[in-house]
Amino acid sequence: MKSAWTDREADETVARYADEGVSEDLALRVYTSRLLGRDPLLVLHGGGNTSVKTTVTDLLGEDVQVLCVKGSGWDMADIEPPGLPAVRMEPLLKLRSLKVLSDEDMVRFQRGALIDPSSPNPSVETLLHAFLPHKFVDHTHSAAVLSLTDQDADEVLLREVYGDRVALVDYVKPGFDLAREATRVFEAHQQVEGLILRKHGIFSFGATAREAYERMIDLVTLAENHIAEVVGGIFPSVELPKELPPVAEVAPVVRGLLAVRGDDSVADPVRMILNFRTSEAVLNYVNGLDVGRYSQVGVVTPDHAIRTKMIPLVVSAPEAGLGDAFLEGAGEAVAQYVAAYRAYFARHDGVREPPKKALDPMPRVVLVPGLGLFGVGNSAAAACIAADLAENTVRVITDAEAIGAYLPVDEAATFDIEYWSLEQAKLSKAAERPLGRQVAVITGGAGGIGAATARAFAAQGAEVALLDLDGGKAEEVAEEIAGLGFRCDVTDGNAVRSAFDAVCEAYGGVDILISNAGAAWQGEIGEVDDGTLRKSFELNFFGHQTVAQNAVRVMLAQGTGGALLFNASKQAVNPGPGFGPYGLPKAATLFLAKQYALEYGYAGIRSNAINADRVNTGMFAGGLLEERAGARGQSPEEYLRTGNLLRREVLAEDVAQAFVALALARKTTAATLTVDAGNIEASLR
Ligand code: ZN
């Protein structure tokens, strides 16, 4: 590992922040924190922290000694000065004289010592930073260091690699006790450049930002060099089926198995979002003959347990066609995992601390021999984090097994982190949104109604994938809502299949389809050429059928129901002259919605349609709005407002909200909802 420090960048950072009134100490602290934070082999998703001891001037003009330490909720890769809140040193140091201090009291006390009370909570490792005497202190969960310390015989190994350049601190849960213990160890070995926190990570320190940072790099490099000298890292592989199924076929099946089913008359199953990863390293690991042993020992560093649980679920290698053997085997594996998780909770709950609230028993990582791994979470972001940590785990354990025998913190210590009171407190605050844990696919997603619908579904918590002929625009809208955007022609069956496959790899499956892509063709029905009519049927009927077939295929594999939503048009109910080529396929699509409702209701799949009218979007492109308004002697605005009973213009957002309402209406199927501000000729029944 090379130092990424450059004097030029350091100077630039200092100069840039000086303009904002940020001190040189804090600017350099931001600079090296980012250098550490942007390397996933050192820091992943909050797994590390840094600090600097410096002086600030308070409102009275008095100098105050403070510790600027990483605040919770900030990522070191892109940290800014407010991410390193200033805490008064004097009260922090007084805490050392206490015998015990609960996490809650520690957090409260640290908040009370903040210079700016609106700052984020200082890190739980704040006291360790404060008690060490050095100006700059850096802490990471370096993968290479973890491979060395997550060992049966780590003390001997660490001595061999580091000599007396570091001191070793036995595993203690982060917080007050660890701060005291680490300081005690440091004070007995004051010449060291760093501390290895056994089974947890590494601290380095120095008089300058550069010294502390480069000591971290040096110490990690020693670990990396040691690993590089060892021949190994290739696990003997299990025998894999001759032909493997595509990931996109396996993902919905696994996702369905991980859903927690309750009373279906009351609520949907509690679903998970999946995120797939594979690589040579991942395959070496998941295909290993011994994966059932080395993957089941524990987390590489305790705070992963909050995101990944202590161990992953391992299923057997699937064969092409996904026969009953795989389904039964995987189902059995999930049942065993759940039972084992409940037993683990029962073993540790109430033993060292007051009773806890049990978390759901489903795994957060699934290893699939032959294919790779899935990160699992209650959102795409959480699944992605779990997958990142799982890939990091693959690396640490592969190296640890090459060196010796992987042995991380024990189960009791892992439980204490997974059920940390500070984490439990967050649970009650985190309310899930109505469409959370659901994946919505929207065709025509870049147009007016499509984009409004994408935003509305994202606002309700759904993970959204947009398909559109205009791939660039679809990506643009997707970026805005942290979703996915693809170019996809819904009249091309192969393209639709590929798009659904990509959604299954990214999210694990599909729960809601908003089949919205369409375009208006015109012509007098007695004269229109067949070509025009067939083109319209391709898009306005067969396009809907193709995406619906794909959605139903995935929904049946998941076995957790779903919602099909079709954008029909008022033309399907109330034909207008010259709009036969548009209205005819839309009428067929309205019927299609009913046919799906009829045939898939047994599987919990609902199918509904919307007939909207006079929405000022692409429908009226090419001067059509002006032409139709002009024919009535109206301005476009008058035309949009006066043609309905409510005298209100119908907006794309209105259609989007109607789609959301139908997605949430769990007892409604085969319905058509009118969004036209009142058009009695187009009203149903
Ligand atoms: Zn740590």
Side-chain angles (χ1 to χ4, degrees):
M1 182 167 282
K2 292 240 169 358
S3 167
W5 173 286
T6 69
D7 287 339
R8 187 181 52 80
E9 275 184 352
D11 293 347
E12 273 172 16
T13 310
V14 170
R16 180 158 46 85
Y17 281 120
D19 295 342
E20 299 169 22
V22 172
S23 70
E24 180 173 331
D25 282 349
L26 187 52
L28 290 173
R29 181 64 285 175
V30 167
Y31 173 55
T32 56
S33 299
R34 286 185 181 180
L35 294 184
L36 296 169
R38 72 187 185 200
D39 188 338
L41 292 178
L42 292 174
V43 172
L44 269 179
H45 302 296
N49 39 64
T50 54
S51 70
V52 59
K53 296 177 185 77
T54 184
T55 309
V56 296
T57 310
D58 69 11
L59 288 174
L60 301 171
E62 285 168 14
D63 283 351
V64 186
Q65 295 296 314
V66 294
L67 177 79
C68 292
V69 61
K70 195 197 146 234
S72 79
W74 282 85
D75 188 332
M76 276 163 66
D78 52 16
I79 200 159
E80 293 283 348
L84 290 148
V87 198
R88 290 170 197 276
M89 273 296 282
E90 200 191 338
L92 290 183
L93 291 178
K94 281 186 185 159
L95 286 178
R96 237 194 121 176
S97 62
L98 294 181
K99 288 277 174 291
V100 285
L101 179 62
S102 75
D103 291 333
E104 285 74 12
D105 284 344
M106 180 181 77
V107 168
R108 223 187 330 267
F109 189 89
Q110 287 175 180
R111 282 211 66 80
L114 284 167
I115 293 289
D116 176 355
S118 67
S119 299
N121 276 347
S123 158
V124 292
E125 278 157 335
T126 292
L127 293 180
L128 207 172
H129 286 264
F131 295 170
L132 291 171
H134 312 81
K135 187 172 175 75
F136 286 87
V137 178
D138 294 13
H139 169 47
T140 73
H141 296 168
S142 150
V145 171
L146 289 174
S147 293
L148 258 55
T149 185
D150 286 341
Q151 288 288 336
D152 194 5
D154 66 326
E155 272 191 85
V156 179
L157 185 58
L158 290 164
R159 256 320 132 235
E160 183 191 330
V161 173
Y162 290 112
D164 54 10
R165 291 180 68 174
V166 300
L168 306 186
V169 182
D170 287 344
Y171 180 79
V172 178
K173 184 182 165 193
F176 178 66
D177 294 343
L178 173 60
R180 287 217 320 174
E181 176 60 11
T183 316
R184 189 191 63 77
V185 171
F186 169 76
E187 285 170 354
H189 305 84
Q190 297 197 20
Q191 82 295 346
V192 296
E193 298 162 43
L195 298 172
I196 304 265
L197 275 49
R198 297 178 64 199
K199 322 285 189 193
H200 170 168
I202 174 170
F203 274 78
S204 64
F205 25 67
T208 65
R210 182 172 186 171
E211 184 179 43
Y213 166 73
E214 291 193 337
R215 279 178 168 177
M216 176 66 73
I217 301 300
D218 284 351
L219 295 171
V220 169
T221 303
L222 288 175
E224 289 182 339
N225 291 346
H226 181 83
I227 293 164
E229 281 166 19
V230 178
V231 182
I234 306 295
F235 296 115
S237 172
V238 289
E239 199 174 320
L240 294 169
K242 280 203 176 58
E243 214 185 318
L244 294 160
V247 175
E249 257 171 49
V250 177
V253 170
V254 172
R255 186 166 181 247
L257 291 172
L258 299 185
V260 180
R261 290 160 177 80
D263 181 349
D264 199 44
S265 291
V266 178
D268 270 2
V270 179
R271 302 164 166 111
M272 292 291 185
I273 303 293
L274 270 53
N275 183 246
F276 180 73
R277 302 290 172 89
T278 195
S279 68
E280 218 173 286
V282 168
L283 286 172
N284 170 51
Y285 185 86
V286 301
N287 294 351
L289 258 179
D290 261 355
V291 67
R293 175 185 60 78
Y294 55 72
S295 75
Q296 301 294 299
V297 190
V299 282
V300 299
T301 185
D303 77 349
H304 284 200
I306 294 161
R307 303 289 202 163
T308 65
K309 288 205 157 86
M310 190 172 108
I311 52 173
L313 166 72
V314 188
V315 298
S316 53
E319 73 292 348
L322 284 183
D324 290 345
F326 174 75
L327 296 183
E328 279 166 27
E332 184 57 30
V334 172
Q336 280 174 12
Y337 186 98
V338 167
Y341 185 81
R342 293 202 166 117
Y344 152 82
F345 180 79
R347 267 198 302 282
H348 298 286
D349 185 37
V351 174
R352 285 166 303 282
E353 286 181 20
K356 309 288 187 184
K357 191 174 159 211
L359 300 167
D360 81 76
M362 285 300 171
R364 291 300 186 271
V365 176
V366 181
L367 308 182
V368 187
L371 295 185
L373 64 83
F374 290 102
V376 179
N378 62 359
S379 66
C384 200
I385 290 174
D388 284 347
L389 298 181
E391 283 198 83
N392 183 259
T393 299
V394 163
R395 184 183 183 112
V396 172
I397 297 182
T398 303
D399 288 344
E401 285 281 308
I403 300 169
Y406 176 63
L407 187 68
V409 281
D410 64 18
E411 189 182 276
T414 308
F415 180 89
D416 287 345
I417 299 288
E418 188 181 351
Y419 283 89
W420 206 336
S421 52
L422 301 176
E423 288 297 324
Q424 290 256 307
K426 288 183 199 162
L427 289 178
S428 45
K429 285 185 203 152
E432 292 209 18
R433 287 176 288 175
L435 293 175
R437 301 167 177 265
Q438 299 209 44
V439 180
V441 172
I442 304 175
T443 69
I449 290 176
T453 303
R455 289 184 192 106
F457 275 75
Q460 298 296 322
E463 309 298 341
V464 177
L466 300 103
L467 280 44
D468 201 285
L469 263 183
D470 186 341
K473 189 87 192 298
E475 279 174 35
E476 234 172 76
V477 180
E479 203 183 314
E480 184 194 320
I481 57 168
L484 293 174
F486 306 103
R487 186 193 181 278
C488 178
D489 175 356
V490 296
T491 66
D492 175 347
N494 291 331
V496 171
R497 174 70 196 227
S498 311
F500 272 79
D501 284 356
V503 175
C504 288
E505 286 187 23
Y507 295 142
V510 174
D511 306 296
I512 302 165
L513 166 70
I514 299 106
S515 187
N516 167 66
W521 275 272
Q522 294 180 64
E524 306 301 315
I525 199 64
E527 298 155 23
V528 69
D529 62 295
D530 271 12
T532 301
L533 203 50
R534 284 179 199 281
K535 245 192 270 173
S536 184
F537 262 89
E538 274 305 320
L539 178 60
N540 292 316
F541 173 73
F542 284 104
H544 290 283
Q545 161 65 352
T546 305
V547 293
Q549 267 191 343
N550 273 280
V552 165
R553 172 177 54 78
V554 176
M555 288 170 185
L556 291 176
Q558 292 169 157
T560 50
L564 305 176
L565 300 165
F566 297 90
N567 190 352
S569 159
K570 78 110 198 175
Q571 288 295 331
V573 182
N574 171 215
F579 275 88
Y582 181 54
L584 285 164
K586 285 287 196 180
T589 296
L590 200 60
F591 198 89
L592 183 74
K594 292 192 181 199
Q595 198 70 34
Y596 272 104
L598 175 69
E599 294 189 27
Y600 295 97
Y602 80 91
I605 297 172
R606 297 180 293 110
S607 175
N608 295 294
I610 281 189
N611 61 328
D613 189 21
R614 290 196 191 181
V615 186
N616 188 9
T617 62
M619 271 272 318
F620 284 120
L624 186 61
L625 175 61
E626 289 71 18
E627 184 189 309
R628 293 174 92 190
R632 297 184 185 211
Q634 293 174 320
S635 71
E637 202 193 30
E638 277 171 332
Y639 173 78
L640 290 170
R641 280 176 187 269
T642 60
N644 60 53
L645 303 175
L646 294 170
R647 305 271 189 272
R648 291 175 186 161
E649 182 180 342
V650 182
L651 307 174
E653 288 73 22
D654 298 316
V655 182
Q657 288 308 324
F659 277 131
V660 168
L662 284 174
L664 289 170
R666 296 191 66 253
K667 310 292 167 71
T668 300
T669 191
T672 303
L673 185 59
T674 304
V675 189
D676 56 9
N679 173 355
I680 208 69
E681 287 82 14
S683 64
L684 283 99
R685 277 186 258 182

